[in-house]
């Protein structure tokens, strides 16, 4: 099948398929006319790539993993190197979540403390703040 048909069957744009090929994730054959030729197995491969990207894996990590992946449910052959890649990705996500949680907590505390210190007469409404940030210019340019 050609790239357009693979895109339709896999539910992705052809530029994504070309990107996957450039990243070494798809390896289409070439017809005598030079056009890319894909097999039915490539539909499953694209599905697997999309699922792995959705899990936050990079295309480099996916290229490493893809030979060990089978089926629609992404059955992965266990091996220590592969588990190291997955665990490293999970550790990275956990670190980013922890950092974001700390940042969120600090920002929430700043807002809470500032609101408690602000006298009622100093509070501005959202529309007042918008007018102050974006004053209108008169027709004369002043």
């Amino acid at each position: 099948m050609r790239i357009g048909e693979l895109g339709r069957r896999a539910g992705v744009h052809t530029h994504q398929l070309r990107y996957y090929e450039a990243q070494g994730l798809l390896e289409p054959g070439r017809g005598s006319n030079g056009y890319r030729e894909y097999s039915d197995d490539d539909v499953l491969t694209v599905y697997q790539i999309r699922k792995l990207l959705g899990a936050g894996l990079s295309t480099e990590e996916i290229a490493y993993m893809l030979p060990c992946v089978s089926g629609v449910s992404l059955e992965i052959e266990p091996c220590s190197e592969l588990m190291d890649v997955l665990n490293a990705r999970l550790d990275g996500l956990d670190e980013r979540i922890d950092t974001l949680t700390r940042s969120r907590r600090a920002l929430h505390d700043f807002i809470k403390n500032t609101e408690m210190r602000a006298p009622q007469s100093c509070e501005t409404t959202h529309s007042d703040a918008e007018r102050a940030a974006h004053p209108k210019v008169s027709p004369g340019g002043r």
Side-chain angles (χ1 to χ4, degrees), residues 2 4 22 36 42 51 59 78 80 91 114 116 123 142:
R2 291 227 186 110
R36 292 172 176 89
D42 290 321
K51 292 293 262 186
T59 54
S80 62
D91 290 345
T114 302
M116 288 184 357
E123 290 183 8
R142 296 188 161 189

Side-chain angles (χ1 to χ4, degrees), residues 32-87:
S32 59
N33 56 8
Y35 291 159
R36 292 172 176 89
E37 300 263 338
Y38 295 95
S39 70
D40 289 335
D41 291 341
D42 290 321
V43 176
L44 176 60
T45 301
V46 172
Y47 176 80
Q48 292 167 338
I49 292 167
R50 301 295 298 158
K51 292 293 262 186
L52 293 167
L53 285 169
L57 297 169
S58 70
T59 54
E60 184 178 320
E61 291 165 329
I62 293 170
Y64 179 75
M65 293 180 60
L66 210 50
C68 302
V69 176
S70 63
V72 175
S73 62
L74 297 183
E75 296 156 3
I76 300 171
E77 292 297 320
C79 66
S80 62
E81 296 89 8
L82 190 56
M83 293 308 296
D84 290 344
V85 168
L86 294 174
N87 282 317

Side-chain angles (χ1 to χ4, degrees), residues 98-108:
D98 291 344
T99 299
L100 287 170
T101 299
R102 284 191 302 274
S103 297
R104 183 179 189 279
R105 189 176 308 120
L107 185 57
H108 177 59

